[in-house]
Amino acid sequence: MTQRVLIAGAGLLGLGVARQLAASGCHVSLFDPRAPGVETSLVSAGMLAPHAELRHDEEDLLALGRASQALWPRWVEALVSESGVAIDVRMPGTLVVAYDGDEYAAARHHLDTLERQGLQVDHLDASDLRDLEPDLSPHLVGGGLIHGDGQVDNRALLDALRLRAEALGVTILSGIGLQSVEAVQGRVAGATDTAGDTHPCDAVVIAAGSWSRSIRLPDLPPLPVRPVRGQLLAFASVDRLGRRLRLERAVHAPSVYMALKADGTLLAGATMEERGHEREVNTGALFEHLREARRLLPQLDELPLRDIRIGFRPTSRDNRPLLGETEIAGLFCLTGHARNGVQQAPASIEIVAAAVLGQSLPAYAEPFSPKRFTTRAAR
Ligand code: GLY
């Protein structure tokens, strides 16, 4: 029997799971209070760097990140051929860099840990760094190149996913969110949208990013997902004398990361701010951020600032995503990815699509079950 699935949130994850479920024969409707792909997925810098930012106690996240990294090439390839949209994806490695001995020792420790886990890492001194990326600060003392990391054009990706979802018959409702989910005897029966209309269904997927908390769930507490705001700066990469900035790889310094996108936009990401869903530019955070970006790439002084983009990282209480079914049968979560929503998208979508379709899940999905927050004992 065809499943009728409602999805809250038409960002990268909502569109991605809609595409997969529609391709598997489900009847899918996507609800978004704004429009598809205009919030955090669009603001992201598209970093595919599961290793660069990891903490040492996050082995479960590393397993999810690695599984997702392995899926990226064929996920994009399939999407390009299905949609006809060209999507730039590159895996030239990520540079982690340090300005002094303390930072270098910390970076070394991190890189050594990754190496022990089987990852290929090149340790670099200041002159290696200059050879690899000549436009980086001359004050860097060293760092490392983490192989296998990269970046994607997340904007093209969103276009491709939306086109493909539409072509598969997914209904996309812009300007209408999901407000509440209704259940009968512990099983999803329908959901009510922000216009007050109720839609019967077999399953609901909450993929509303940092707004997931505002959707009322039957017999469950609000999902513990808060927005951690980021201001991302977009610069032109050619200065007024026609000099083009060179930056082959994404670079992570202790307080900023920078990446040159295929269209020539230079991105400097991103502040971490606990300001709810505020949309005003915060001058203090912006000032600090610009200073760190300029420290890393001195040529920035001469590059036009084109845009200040604000996004809201959906961050759960334990910094891990919520993937899979809740204890309400037919109610699924695909949210809470914090800083890693784009990178973890292919694996997360695969997990949640499998859960909706009643298929078995990979072992690495287990720590991310939403039940860790929603069972009565955990509340
Ligand atoms: N993944 C980088 C960020 O969230 O800023």
mmCIF file of all heavy atoms in Angstrom, residues 8-56:
data_model
loop_
_atom_site.group_PDB
_atom_site.id
_atom_site.type_symbol
_atom_site.label_atom_id
_atom_site.label_comp_id
_atom_site.label_asym_id
_atom_site.label_seq_id
_atom_site.Cartn_x
_atom_site.Cartn_y
_atom_site.Cartn_z
ATOM 1 N N ALA A 8 7.974 17.967 7.498
ATOM 2 C CA ALA A 8 8.045 19.353 7.987
ATOM 3 C C ALA A 8 9.428 19.882 7.700
ATOM 4 O O ALA A 8 10.416 19.395 8.253
ATOM 5 C CB ALA A 8 7.775 19.387 9.491
ATOM 6 N N GLY A 9 9.542 20.875 6.807
ATOM 7 C CA GLY A 9 10.836 21.491 6.522
ATOM 8 C C GLY A 9 11.359 21.095 5.154
ATOM 9 O O GLY A 9 11.592 19.909 4.895
ATOM 10 N N ALA A 10 11.528 22.097 4.268
ATOM 11 C CA ALA A 10 12.010 21.822 2.907
ATOM 12 C C ALA A 10 13.423 22.353 2.716
ATOM 13 O O ALA A 10 13.740 23.004 1.728
ATOM 14 C CB ALA A 10 11.053 22.419 1.877
ATOM 15 N N GLY A 11 14.296 22.085 3.699
ATOM 16 C CA GLY A 11 15.721 22.356 3.540
ATOM 17 C C GLY A 11 16.375 21.172 2.843
ATOM 18 O O GLY A 11 15.689 20.289 2.293
ATOM 19 N N LEU A 12 17.687 21.135 2.922
ATOM 20 C CA LEU A 12 18.435 20.057 2.273
ATOM 21 C C LEU A 12 17.946 18.670 2.726
ATOM 22 O O LEU A 12 17.754 17.766 1.915
ATOM 23 C CB LEU A 12 19.920 20.250 2.627
ATOM 24 C CG LEU A 12 20.885 19.164 2.237
ATOM 25 C CD1 LEU A 12 20.877 18.947 0.746
ATOM 26 C CD2 LEU A 12 22.291 19.539 2.685
ATOM 27 N N LEU A 13 17.748 18.519 4.029
ATOM 28 C CA LEU A 13 17.374 17.198 4.547
ATOM 29 C C LEU A 13 15.937 16.845 4.186
ATOM 30 O O LEU A 13 15.648 15.720 3.767
ATOM 31 C CB LEU A 13 17.594 17.163 6.058
ATOM 32 C CG LEU A 13 19.071 17.268 6.440
ATOM 33 C CD1 LEU A 13 19.250 17.724 7.879
ATOM 34 C CD2 LEU A 13 19.789 15.950 6.214
ATOM 35 N N GLY A 14 15.021 17.801 4.328
ATOM 36 C CA GLY A 14 13.621 17.541 3.974
ATOM 37 C C GLY A 14 13.479 17.210 2.501
ATOM 38 O O GLY A 14 12.805 16.243 2.117
ATOM 39 N N LEU A 15 14.124 18.018 1.643
ATOM 40 C CA LEU A 15 14.057 17.754 0.202
ATOM 41 C C LEU A 15 14.706 16.412 -0.132
ATOM 42 O O LEU A 15 14.212 15.648 -0.958
ATOM 43 C CB LEU A 15 14.780 18.869 -0.567
ATOM 44 C CG LEU A 15 14.062 20.219 -0.657
ATOM 45 C CD1 LEU A 15 15.036 21.302 -1.129
ATOM 46 C CD2 LEU A 15 12.859 20.142 -1.597
ATOM 47 N N GLY A 16 15.838 16.138 0.536
ATOM 48 C CA GLY A 16 16.573 14.899 0.245
ATOM 49 C C GLY A 16 15.770 13.658 0.595
ATOM 50 O O GLY A 16 15.722 12.693 -0.177
ATOM 51 N N VAL A 17 15.118 13.686 1.755
ATOM 52 C CA VAL A 17 14.351 12.489 2.139
ATOM 53 C C VAL A 17 13.070 12.414 1.315
ATOM 54 O O VAL A 17 12.588 11.315 0.982
ATOM 55 C CB VAL A 17 14.109 12.440 3.676
ATOM 56 C CG1 VAL A 17 12.979 13.336 4.124
ATOM 57 C CG2 VAL A 17 13.882 10.999 4.136
ATOM 58 N N ALA A 18 12.518 13.579 0.925
ATOM 59 C CA ALA A 18 11.330 13.582 0.055
ATOM 60 C C ALA A 18 11.663 12.896 -1.267
ATOM 61 O O ALA A 18 10.903 12.062 -1.766
ATOM 62 C CB ALA A 18 10.867 15.016 -0.194
ATOM 63 N N ARG A 19 12.816 13.259 -1.826
ATOM 64 C CA ARG A 19 13.229 12.651 -3.104
ATOM 65 C C ARG A 19 13.346 11.132 -2.966
ATOM 66 O O ARG A 19 12.849 10.373 -3.796
ATOM 67 C CB ARG A 19 14.565 13.248 -3.529
ATOM 68 C CG ARG A 19 15.336 12.416 -4.553
ATOM 69 C CD ARG A 19 16.704 13.002 -4.796
ATOM 70 N NE ARG A 19 17.527 12.207 -5.664
ATOM 71 C CZ ARG A 19 18.649 11.595 -5.272
ATOM 72 N NH1 ARG A 19 19.051 11.673 -4.008
ATOM 73 N NH2 ARG A 19 19.361 10.909 -6.138
ATOM 74 N N GLN A 20 14.005 10.705 -1.876
ATOM 75 C CA GLN A 20 14.240 9.269 -1.734
ATOM 76 C C GLN A 20 12.930 8.504 -1.504
ATOM 77 O O GLN A 20 12.720 7.435 -2.062
ATOM 78 C CB GLN A 20 15.213 9.026 -0.572
ATOM 79 C CG GLN A 20 15.717 7.611 -0.556
ATOM 80 C CD GLN A 20 17.142 7.525 -0.027
ATOM 81 O OE1 GLN A 20 17.909 8.493 -0.101
ATOM 82 N NE2 GLN A 20 17.485 6.377 0.515
ATOM 83 N N LEU A 21 12.046 9.071 -0.681
ATOM 84 C CA LEU A 21 10.781 8.376 -0.394
ATOM 85 C C LEU A 21 9.876 8.373 -1.624
ATOM 86 O O LEU A 21 9.213 7.370 -1.910
ATOM 87 C CB LEU A 21 10.082 9.036 0.795
ATOM 88 C CG LEU A 21 10.785 8.818 2.145
ATOM 89 C CD1 LEU A 21 10.132 9.660 3.245
ATOM 90 C CD2 LEU A 21 10.770 7.328 2.529
ATOM 91 N N ALA A 22 9.854 9.493 -2.354
ATOM 92 C CA ALA A 22 9.010 9.542 -3.560
ATOM 93 C C ALA A 22 9.523 8.530 -4.590
ATOM 94 O O ALA A 22 8.737 7.842 -5.248
ATOM 95 C CB ALA A 22 8.998 10.955 -4.137
ATOM 96 N N ALA A 23 10.865 8.425 -4.687
ATOM 97 C CA ALA A 23 11.436 7.459 -5.636
ATOM 98 C C ALA A 23 11.110 6.017 -5.225
ATOM 99 O O ALA A 23 11.117 5.113 -6.055
ATOM 100 C CB ALA A 23 12.944 7.649 -5.729
ATOM 101 N N SER A 24 10.809 5.819 -3.941
ATOM 102 C CA SER A 24 10.462 4.467 -3.457
ATOM 103 C C SER A 24 8.950 4.239 -3.476
ATOM 104 O O SER A 24 8.467 3.265 -2.901
ATOM 105 C CB SER A 24 10.969 4.269 -2.023
ATOM 106 O OG SER A 24 12.341 4.483 -1.965
ATOM 107 N N GLY A 25 8.203 5.162 -4.057
ATOM 108 C CA GLY A 25 6.759 4.932 -4.250
ATOM 109 C C GLY A 25 5.863 5.600 -3.224
ATOM 110 O O GLY A 25 4.646 5.412 -3.263
ATOM 111 N N CYS A 26 6.417 6.382 -2.287
ATOM 112 C CA CYS A 26 5.560 7.053 -1.299
ATOM 113 C C CYS A 26 4.906 8.293 -1.926
ATOM 114 O O CYS A 26 5.435 8.881 -2.873
ATOM 115 C CB CYS A 26 6.372 7.500 -0.084
ATOM 116 S SG CYS A 26 7.109 6.152 0.825
ATOM 117 N N HIS A 27 3.780 8.670 -1.352
ATOM 118 C CA HIS A 27 3.102 9.902 -1.741
ATOM 119 C C HIS A 27 3.544 10.964 -0.733
ATOM 120 O O HIS A 27 3.234 10.852 0.453
ATOM 121 C CB HIS A 27 1.593 9.652 -1.685
ATOM 122 C CG HIS A 27 0.801 10.779 -2.216
ATOM 123 N ND1 HIS A 27 0.603 11.949 -1.521
ATOM 124 C CD2 HIS A 27 0.169 10.926 -3.405
ATOM 125 C CE1 HIS A 27 -0.119 12.767 -2.260
ATOM 126 N NE2 HIS A 27 -0.403 12.176 -3.406
ATOM 127 N N VAL A 28 4.317 11.956 -1.187
ATOM 128 C CA VAL A 28 5.022 12.834 -0.242
ATOM 129 C C VAL A 28 4.567 14.288 -0.382
ATOM 130 O O VAL A 28 4.486 14.818 -1.503
ATOM 131 C CB VAL A 28 6.557 12.770 -0.487
ATOM 132 C CG1 VAL A 28 7.306 13.638 0.532
ATOM 133 C CG2 VAL A 28 7.062 11.330 -0.410
ATOM 134 N N SER A 29 4.300 14.938 0.767
ATOM 135 C CA SER A 29 4.061 16.392 0.769
ATOM 136 C C SER A 29 5.058 17.052 1.717
ATOM 137 O O SER A 29 5.281 16.572 2.830
ATOM 138 C CB SER A 29 2.645 16.721 1.260
ATOM 139 O OG SER A 29 1.701 16.129 0.432
ATOM 140 N N LEU A 30 5.640 18.153 1.251
ATOM 141 C CA LEU A 30 6.620 18.912 2.046
ATOM 142 C C LEU A 30 5.994 20.232 2.461
ATOM 143 O O LEU A 30 5.444 20.944 1.612
ATOM 144 C CB LEU A 30 7.811 19.244 1.158
ATOM 145 C CG LEU A 30 9.066 18.408 1.228
ATOM 146 C CD1 LEU A 30 9.987 18.795 0.082
ATOM 147 C CD2 LEU A 30 9.792 18.611 2.538
ATOM 148 N N PHE A 31 6.123 20.561 3.733
ATOM 149 C CA PHE A 31 5.578 21.826 4.240
ATOM 150 C C PHE A 31 6.731 22.702 4.707
ATOM 151 O O PHE A 31 7.595 22.245 5.449
ATOM 152 C CB PHE A 31 4.657 21.567 5.451
ATOM 153 C CG PHE A 31 3.405 20.820 5.089
ATOM 154 C CD1 PHE A 31 3.431 19.453 4.855
ATOM 155 C CD2 PHE A 31 2.195 21.489 4.998
ATOM 156 C CE1 PHE A 31 2.278 18.763 4.521
ATOM 157 C CE2 PHE A 31 1.034 20.808 4.664
ATOM 158 C CZ PHE A 31 1.072 19.445 4.422
ATOM 159 N N ASP A 32 6.714 23.960 4.289
ATOM 160 C CA ASP A 32 7.754 24.870 4.776
ATOM 161 C C ASP A 32 7.141 26.251 5.009
ATOM 162 O O ASP A 32 6.499 26.803 4.106
ATOM 163 C CB ASP A 32 8.900 24.982 3.762
ATOM 164 C CG ASP A 32 10.141 25.579 4.411
ATOM 165 O OD1 ASP A 32 10.118 26.794 4.732
ATOM 166 O OD2 ASP A 32 11.105 24.835 4.635
ATOM 167 N N PRO A 33 7.335 26.819 6.207
ATOM 168 C CA PRO A 33 6.730 28.118 6.484
ATOM 169 C C PRO A 33 7.260 29.228 5.586
ATOM 170 O O PRO A 33 6.608 30.245 5.413
ATOM 171 C CB PRO A 33 7.102 28.404 7.950
ATOM 172 C CG PRO A 33 7.961 27.298 8.408
ATOM 173 C CD PRO A 33 8.072 26.259 7.328
ATOM 174 N N ARG A 34 8.423 29.028 4.990
ATOM 175 C CA ARG A 34 8.933 30.022 4.039
ATOM 176 C C ARG A 34 8.888 29.417 2.630
ATOM 177 O O ARG A 34 7.856 29.408 2.009
ATOM 178 C CB ARG A 34 10.343 30.468 4.424
ATOM 179 C CG ARG A 34 10.322 31.357 5.698
ATOM 180 C CD ARG A 34 11.644 31.999 5.967
ATOM 181 N NE ARG A 34 12.012 32.952 4.933
ATOM 182 C CZ ARG A 34 13.256 33.394 4.713
ATOM 183 N NH1 ARG A 34 14.242 32.939 5.460
ATOM 184 N NH2 ARG A 34 13.518 34.274 3.767
ATOM 185 N N ALA A 35 9.993 28.908 2.145
ATOM 186 C CA ALA A 35 10.058 28.327 0.799
ATOM 187 C C ALA A 35 11.160 27.277 0.825
ATOM 188 O O ALA A 35 11.979 27.261 1.748
ATOM 189 C CB ALA A 35 10.373 29.434 -0.209
ATOM 190 N N PRO A 36 11.221 26.383 -0.182
ATOM 191 C CA PRO A 36 12.258 25.355 -0.142
ATOM 192 C C PRO A 36 13.667 25.947 -0.197
ATOM 193 O O PRO A 36 13.945 26.825 -1.023
ATOM 194 C CB PRO A 36 11.985 24.506 -1.394
ATOM 195 C CG PRO A 36 10.845 25.109 -2.101
ATOM 196 C CD PRO A 36 10.326 26.272 -1.327
ATOM 197 N N GLY A 37 14.511 25.474 0.702
ATOM 198 C CA GLY A 37 15.941 25.785 0.631
ATOM 199 C C GLY A 37 16.311 27.235 0.775
ATOM 200 O O GLY A 37 17.256 27.691 0.125
ATOM 201 N N VAL A 38 15.618 27.994 1.622
ATOM 202 C CA VAL A 38 16.005 29.407 1.771
ATOM 203 C C VAL A 38 16.579 29.724 3.152
ATOM 204 O O VAL A 38 16.952 30.854 3.403
ATOM 205 C CB VAL A 38 14.814 30.373 1.493
ATOM 206 C CG1 VAL A 38 14.323 30.212 0.075
ATOM 207 C CG2 VAL A 38 13.682 30.183 2.487
ATOM 208 N N GLU A 39 16.657 28.735 4.021
ATOM 209 C CA GLU A 39 17.174 29.020 5.368
ATOM 210 C C GLU A 39 18.590 28.482 5.521
ATOM 211 O O GLU A 39 19.441 28.722 4.690
ATOM 212 C CB GLU A 39 16.218 28.441 6.424
ATOM 213 C CG GLU A 39 14.937 29.245 6.591
ATOM 214 C CD GLU A 39 15.132 30.554 7.380
ATOM 215 O OE1 GLU A 39 16.265 30.846 7.783
ATOM 216 O OE2 GLU A 39 14.142 31.267 7.560
ATOM 217 N N THR A 40 18.815 27.691 6.556
ATOM 218 C CA THR A 40 20.178 27.338 6.960
ATOM 219 C C THR A 40 20.935 26.549 5.882
ATOM 220 O O THR A 40 22.137 26.749 5.694
ATOM 221 C CB THR A 40 20.105 26.578 8.292
ATOM 222 O OG1 THR A 40 19.348 27.401 9.194
ATOM 223 C CG2 THR A 40 21.471 26.327 8.879
ATOM 224 N N SER A 41 20.239 25.681 5.158
ATOM 225 C CA SER A 41 20.927 24.901 4.111
ATOM 226 C C SER A 41 21.543 25.819 3.062
ATOM 227 O O SER A 41 22.587 25.516 2.484
ATOM 228 C CB SER A 41 19.965 23.967 3.372
ATOM 229 O OG SER A 41 19.102 23.318 4.238
ATOM 230 N N LEU A 42 20.885 26.944 2.811
ATOM 231 C CA LEU A 42 21.374 27.884 1.804
ATOM 232 C C LEU A 42 22.565 28.689 2.339
ATOM 233 O O LEU A 42 23.478 29.041 1.603
ATOM 234 C CB LEU A 42 20.243 28.838 1.416
ATOM 235 C CG LEU A 42 20.506 29.774 0.255
ATOM 236 C CD1 LEU A 42 20.549 29.010 -1.063
ATOM 237 C CD2 LEU A 42 19.441 30.858 0.175
ATOM 238 N N VAL A 43 22.550 28.960 3.642
ATOM 239 C CA VAL A 43 23.594 29.787 4.261
ATOM 240 C C VAL A 43 24.877 28.984 4.486
ATOM 241 O O VAL A 43 25.963 29.537 4.542
ATOM 242 C CB VAL A 43 23.061 30.364 5.593
ATOM 243 C CG1 VAL A 43 24.160 31.061 6.377
ATOM 244 C CG2 VAL A 43 21.913 31.327 5.319
ATOM 245 N N SER A 44 24.749 27.670 4.586
ATOM 246 C CA SER A 44 25.914 26.818 4.852
ATOM 247 C C SER A 44 27.053 27.071 3.851
ATOM 248 O O SER A 44 26.814 27.452 2.708
ATOM 249 C CB SER A 44 25.468 25.356 4.737
ATOM 250 O OG SER A 44 26.566 24.543 4.460
ATOM 251 N N ALA A 45 28.275 26.809 4.307
ATOM 252 C CA ALA A 45 29.427 26.950 3.402
ATOM 253 C C ALA A 45 29.676 25.670 2.602
ATOM 254 O O ALA A 45 30.581 25.622 1.778
ATOM 255 C CB ALA A 45 30.674 27.320 4.205
ATOM 256 N N GLY A 46 28.898 24.615 2.866
ATOM 257 C CA GLY A 46 29.041 23.383 2.088
ATOM 258 C C GLY A 46 30.306 22.599 2.395
ATOM 259 O O GLY A 46 30.827 21.863 1.556
ATOM 260 N N MET A 47 30.801 22.731 3.637
ATOM 261 C CA MET A 47 32.010 21.992 4.012
ATOM 262 C C MET A 47 31.707 20.490 4.127
ATOM 263 O O MET A 47 30.739 20.094 4.775
ATOM 264 C CB MET A 47 32.519 22.448 5.389
ATOM 265 C CG MET A 47 32.974 23.886 5.472
ATOM 266 S SD MET A 47 34.405 24.200 4.453
ATOM 267 C CE MET A 47 33.638 24.703 2.970
ATOM 268 N N LEU A 48 32.549 19.681 3.514
ATOM 269 C CA LEU A 48 32.442 18.227 3.688
ATOM 270 C C LEU A 48 33.681 17.792 4.470
ATOM 271 O O LEU A 48 34.638 17.259 3.904
ATOM 272 C CB LEU A 48 32.352 17.534 2.325
ATOM 273 C CG LEU A 48 31.203 18.008 1.429
ATOM 274 C CD1 LEU A 48 31.189 17.254 0.107
ATOM 275 C CD2 LEU A 48 29.857 17.864 2.124
ATOM 276 N N ALA A 49 33.689 18.131 5.740
ATOM 277 C CA ALA A 49 34.900 17.947 6.556
ATOM 278 C C ALA A 49 34.541 17.253 7.867
ATOM 279 O O ALA A 49 34.529 17.873 8.929
ATOM 280 C CB ALA A 49 35.545 19.297 6.812
ATOM 281 N N PRO A 50 34.247 15.948 7.801
ATOM 282 C CA PRO A 50 33.831 15.267 9.025
ATOM 283 C C PRO A 50 34.944 15.155 10.066
ATOM 284 O O PRO A 50 34.676 14.854 11.215
ATOM 285 C CB PRO A 50 33.406 13.877 8.531
ATOM 286 C CG PRO A 50 34.123 13.695 7.238
ATOM 287 C CD PRO A 50 34.269 15.066 6.646
ATOM 288 N N HIS A 51 36.189 15.397 9.628
ATOM 289 C CA HIS A 51 37.305 15.177 10.554
ATOM 290 C C HIS A 51 37.855 16.446 11.174
ATOM 291 O O HIS A 51 38.380 16.425 12.277
ATOM 292 C CB HIS A 51 38.446 14.471 9.823
ATOM 293 C CG HIS A 51 37.992 13.251 9.081
ATOM 294 N ND1 HIS A 51 37.777 13.244 7.721
ATOM 295 C CD2 HIS A 51 37.682 12.025 9.527
ATOM 296 C CE1 HIS A 51 37.365 12.045 7.355
ATOM 297 N NE2 HIS A 51 37.295 11.294 8.432
ATOM 298 N N ALA A 52 37.740 17.562 10.464
ATOM 299 C CA ALA A 52 38.463 18.768 10.889
ATOM 300 C C ALA A 52 37.957 19.309 12.220
ATOM 301 O O ALA A 52 38.730 19.808 13.025
ATOM 302 C CB ALA A 52 38.366 19.841 9.808
ATOM 303 N N GLU A 53 36.660 19.227 12.461
ATOM 304 C CA GLU A 53 36.099 19.886 13.651
ATOM 305 C C GLU A 53 35.769 18.911 14.775
ATOM 306 O O GLU A 53 35.218 19.300 15.789
ATOM 307 C CB GLU A 53 34.798 20.591 13.284
ATOM 308 C CG GLU A 53 34.967 21.729 12.338
ATOM 309 C CD GLU A 53 33.639 22.426 12.057
ATOM 310 O OE1 GLU A 53 32.654 22.149 12.769
ATOM 311 O OE2 GLU A 53 33.595 23.233 11.143
ATOM 312 N N LEU A 54 36.083 17.665 14.565
ATOM 313 C CA LEU A 54 35.624 16.641 15.503
ATOM 314 C C LEU A 54 36.294 16.739 16.865
ATOM 315 O O LEU A 54 37.457 17.097 16.962
ATOM 316 C CB LEU A 54 35.962 15.288 14.892
ATOM 317 C CG LEU A 54 35.130 14.151 15.419
ATOM 318 C CD1 LEU A 54 33.783 14.168 14.742
ATOM 319 C CD2 LEU A 54 35.854 12.852 15.186
ATOM 320 N N ARG A 55 35.531 16.391 17.922
ATOM 321 C CA ARG A 55 36.160 16.297 19.241
ATOM 322 C C ARG A 55 36.503 14.829 19.507
ATOM 323 O O ARG A 55 35.972 13.924 18.876
ATOM 324 C CB ARG A 55 35.191 16.822 20.306
ATOM 325 C CG ARG A 55 34.902 18.303 20.164
ATOM 326 C CD ARG A 55 34.336 18.856 21.457
ATOM 327 N NE ARG A 55 33.474 17.914 22.145
ATOM 328 C CZ ARG A 55 32.191 18.120 22.420
ATOM 329 N NH1 ARG A 55 31.618 19.226 22.072
ATOM 330 N NH2 ARG A 55 31.483 17.212 23.052
ATOM 331 N N HIS A 56 37.385 14.613 20.471
ATOM 332 C CA HIS A 56 37.888 13.245 20.650
ATOM 333 C C HIS A 56 36.851 12.283 21.205
ATOM 334 O O HIS A 56 36.993 11.083 21.092
ATOM 335 C CB HIS A 56 39.128 13.260 21.532
ATOM 336 C CG HIS A 56 40.209 14.099 20.936
ATOM 337 N ND1 HIS A 56 40.646 13.918 19.647
ATOM 338 C CD2 HIS A 56 40.897 15.150 21.418
ATOM 339 C CE1 HIS A 56 41.571 14.824 19.366
ATOM 340 N NE2 HIS A 56 41.730 15.583 20.415
#
